[in-house]
């Protein structure tokens, strides 16, 4: 026998849904003990009577939220409810397909995302739908390492039927958000860099917080590695201040119950804390992110950020959800090759994929301008080990000096 919670995890639905099945007698052999249910281990999931016959025709209607990111809105507020949200959209075929595609992306199911994105784009309906299809196609390109698909995705975004300057601002932001996934923040609109979200519909505000933090993080990284100059700011200064911005935003998206946004912001916050040497705070946010992701298996989000946490994400999966560590590592192997190929192609750089966690960590601190002695003290390893690791990084990556290390990370 298994519990209702175990059955929910097995079938990919909520505990409440399992309890409803039990109460209605739709699970043979289910028994109630007090307030809890137990279910025969091999029981099949009952058919959902709300499902309708599939249709080959995609109906075209205005999206039910004014944003290309339905998964980052108040539609998806409960971890583990993705399937129920999709079913609730059955009367709106395009919104349902888009939401399912975004959840599939968060799970790392890239072939499904690619197929659905093309259906959305071939329909070429409303502004936000076209924008969504283009964004999804671009993210597929990132996982596949396909520069031609990347350029095609950008063209589709530009083709979104903009009615006025406000819509064109949103197109510019969408292109910049896509670019930021390969660490190019040069094209973000000035109004967005200032944290001015007035051009956006309220439905898009939670997603905007995620992109804004991504912008600030990449800017902070560029300053720390002397790739970008800002008067009065140098080293890790911006990164050290960034948690003061992210932590309140996490509270905001928690209040809005936007699960996907909370996962993204927590993992970004963990990366910042890890970079500035505050691993206790990093672990706190990683554990929260993992627990939010597990019910709907949203591991693609975590995979995107795995290398920036060195071995910390793997350690926390071993502690919090060890049964999923192998899945995360497998997804990362696929993502890493594609991202490195695409990002290297775009930036005309060779991005190494064969560095160990320790080698990457040492290379990152060296790129931050730390001396060998400072790296030794920070990582609690010998000075000789630091020197040897840097030599190995140079050999593996082909870079010639410490200034070039940022190009391989």
């Amino acid at each position: 026998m298994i519990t209702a919670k175990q059955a929910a995890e097995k079938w990919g639905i909520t505990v409440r849904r399992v309890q409803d099945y039990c109460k209605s007698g739709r699970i043979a052999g289910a028994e109630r003990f007090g307030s809890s249910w137990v279910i025969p281990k091999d029981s099949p999931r009952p058919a959902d009577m709300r499902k309708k016959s599939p249709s080959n025709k995609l109906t075209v209607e205005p999206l039910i939220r004014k944003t290309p990111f339905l998964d980052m809105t108040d539609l998806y507020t409960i971890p583990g409810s993705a399937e129920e949200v999709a079913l609730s959209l059955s009367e709106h075929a395009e919104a349902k397909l888009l939401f399912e595609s975004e959840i599939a992306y968060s799970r790392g199911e890239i072939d499904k995302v690619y197929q659905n994105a093309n259906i959305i784009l071939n329909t070429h309906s409303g502004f936000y739908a076209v924008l969504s299809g283009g964004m999804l196609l671009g993210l597929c390109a990132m996982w596949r390492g396909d520069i031609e698909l990347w350029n095609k995705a950008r063209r589709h975004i530009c083709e979104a039927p903009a009615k006025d300057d406000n819509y064109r601002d949103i197109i510019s932001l969408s292109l910049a958000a896509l670019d930021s996934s390969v660490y190019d923040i040069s094209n973000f609109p000035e109004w967005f860099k200032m944290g001015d979200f007035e051009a956006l519909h309220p439905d898009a505000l939670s997603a905007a917080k995620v992109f804004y933090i991504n912008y600030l993080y990449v800017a902070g990284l560029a300053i720390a590695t002397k790739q970008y100059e800002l008067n009065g700011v140098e080293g890790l200064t911006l990164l050290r201040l960034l948690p003061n911005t992210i932590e309140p935003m996490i509270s905001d998206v928690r209040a809005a119950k936007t699960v996907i946004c909370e996962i993204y912001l927590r993992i970004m916050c963990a990366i910042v804390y890890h970079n500035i040497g505050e691993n206790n705070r990093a672990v706190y946010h990683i554990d929260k992110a993992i627990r939010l992701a597990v019910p709907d298996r949203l591991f693609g989000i975590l995979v995107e950020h795995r290398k920036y946490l060195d071995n910390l994400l793997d350690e926390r999966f071993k502690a919090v959800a060890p049964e999923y560590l192998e899945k995360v590592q497998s997804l990362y192997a696929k993502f890493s090759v594609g991202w490195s190929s695409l990002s290297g192609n775009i930036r005309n750089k060779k991005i190494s994929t064969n560095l160990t966690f320790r080698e990457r960590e040492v290379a990152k601190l060296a790129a931050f301008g730390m001396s060998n002695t400072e790296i030794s003290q920070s990582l609690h390893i010998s000075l000789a080990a630091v020197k040897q690791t840097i030599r190995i990084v140079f050999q593996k990556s082909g870079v010639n000096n410490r200034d070039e290390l940022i190009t391989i990370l």
Side-chain angles (χ1 to χ4, degrees):
M1 304 291 280
I2 58 176
T3 65
K5 181 179 179 181
Q6 290 171 325
E9 292 175 352
K10 177 181 177 182
W11 295 334
I13 58 178
T14 63
V15 174
R16 179 175 292 181
R17 175 72 49 181
V18 176
Q19 292 170 338
D20 288 342
Y21 286 152
C22 293
K23 292 175 184 176
S24 61
R26 297 183 59 199
I27 302 179
E31 298 180 17
R32 186 167 188 167
F33 293 91
S35 60
S36 302
W37 287 90
V38 291
I39 299 161
K41 185 176 181 180
D42 297 325
S43 294
R45 177 188 168 181
D48 196 314
M49 303 307 292
R50 298 175 302 169
K51 289 187 176 180
K52 297 186 177 183
S53 301
S55 171
N56 293 323
K57 184 178 180 181
L58 184 63
T59 58
V60 178
E61 304 170 14
L63 286 184
I64 55 180
R65 298 290 185 273
K66 299 298 183 182
T67 172
F69 309 104
L70 295 184
D71 61 330
M72 294 189 182
T73 68
D74 59 356
L75 291 174
Y76 181 54
T77 60
I78 303 173
S81 66
E83 181 178 324
E84 293 183 36
V85 173
L87 286 171
S88 74
L89 298 173
S90 294
E91 297 298 325
H92 197 307
E94 191 168 40
K96 182 174 186 292
L97 185 64
L98 175 56
F99 178 80
E100 289 176 334
S101 302
E102 291 168 345
I103 292 296
Y105 178 78
S106 294
R107 290 171 173 162
E109 299 170 354
I110 304 306
D111 289 342
K112 180 178 180 179
V113 178
Y114 176 77
Q115 179 181 358
N116 290 352
N118 279 298
I119 293 173
I120 293 169
L121 290 168
N122 288 337
T123 304
H124 207 287
S125 56
F127 175 77
Y128 288 104
V130 175
L131 214 58
S132 305
M135 292 289 288
L136 288 171
L137 211 59
L139 294 171
C140 289
M142 182 174 67
W143 277 70
R144 293 182 172 187
D146 189 335
I147 186 65
E148 291 185 5
L149 185 59
W150 176 265
N151 292 331
K152 179 181 178 182
R154 292 174 61 83
R155 287 196 298 272
H156 277 298
I157 292 173
C158 292
E159 290 173 356
K163 300 176 182 178
D164 52 39
D165 287 343
N166 182 264
Y167 281 81
R168 283 183 279 275
D169 282 342
I170 296 172
I171 288 176
S172 297
L173 176 58
S174 298
L175 291 170
L178 197 60
D179 289 343
S180 71
S181 63
V182 290
Y183 277 32
D184 178 3
I185 59 170
S186 59
N187 296 318
F188 271 105
E190 290 301 318
W191 55 268
F192 189 79
K193 292 180 182 179
M194 298 297 294
D196 178 4
F197 301 156
E198 286 190 11
L200 304 175
H201 191 280
D203 289 340
L205 292 183
S206 291
K209 291 180 172 66
V210 172
F211 296 126
Y212 187 62
I213 292 304
N214 195 44
Y215 161 72
L216 291 178
Y217 171 68
V218 177
L221 196 64
I223 290 170
T225 55
K226 299 181 180 180
Q227 306 298 305
Y228 178 70
E229 293 185 1
L230 187 64
N231 289 337
V233 182
E234 60 182 18
L236 295 174
T237 301
L238 182 56
L239 289 181
R240 292 187 188 283
L241 292 173
L242 200 46
N244 297 336
T245 300
I246 306 178
E247 294 276 14
M249 286 191 175
I250 290 173
S251 297
D252 289 344
V253 299
R254 283 194 68 198
K257 298 182 179 180
T258 47
V259 175
I260 298 288
C261 295
E262 185 178 347
I263 295 173
Y264 270 113
L265 288 179
R266 286 196 182 279
I267 208 69
M268 289 297 297
C269 200
I271 291 170
V272 173
Y273 277 127
H274 178 58
N275 279 337
I276 62 177
E278 296 186 26
N279 274 353
N280 287 339
R281 291 299 298 167
V283 165
Y284 171 81
H285 286 291
I286 292 171
D287 289 0
K288 290 280 190 179
I290 290 174
R291 292 189 174 101
L292 288 169
V294 161
D296 273 320
R297 316 292 191 269
L298 307 178
F299 303 135
I301 299 174
L302 306 181
V303 161
E304 289 181 15
H305 300 88
R306 179 175 179 256
K307 71 175 181 178
Y308 305 113
L309 289 162
D310 300 311
N311 65 339
L312 201 55
L313 183 64
D314 285 20
E315 289 179 357
R316 298 320 302 162
F317 260 100
K318 288 178 184 177
V320 177
E323 66 273 28
Y324 297 116
L325 176 58
E326 186 176 344
K327 175 66 173 179
V328 169
Q329 292 173 334
S330 175
L331 283 174
Y332 177 74
K334 178 180 179 181
F335 170 79
S336 178
V337 172
W339 184 90
S340 298
S341 175
L342 179 68
S343 182
N345 199 325
I346 291 171
R347 295 189 283 169
N348 196 27
K349 304 287 185 182
K350 179 183 177 182
I351 299 177
S352 179
T353 60
N354 61 348
L355 299 182
T356 65
F357 282 129
R358 176 62 80 187
E359 289 163 357
R360 182 175 295 281
E361 192 169 23
V362 170
K364 177 184 64 180
L365 296 181
F368 285 168
M370 287 189 180
S371 67
N372 289 348
T373 300
E374 290 171 329
I375 296 172
S376 171
Q377 294 171 347
S378 176
L379 299 181
H380 306 291
I381 59 177
S382 70
L383 186 59
V386 174
K387 293 177 179 178
Q388 175 65 11
T389 301
I390 290 179
R391 281 196 293 270
I392 292 172
V393 170
F394 283 2
Q395 292 170 0
K396 283 186 175 182
S397 63
V399 302
N400 298 311
N401 56 62
R402 296 165 84 101
D403 290 339
E404 295 179 7
L405 286 174
I406 186 60
T407 67
I408 68 172
L409 299 178

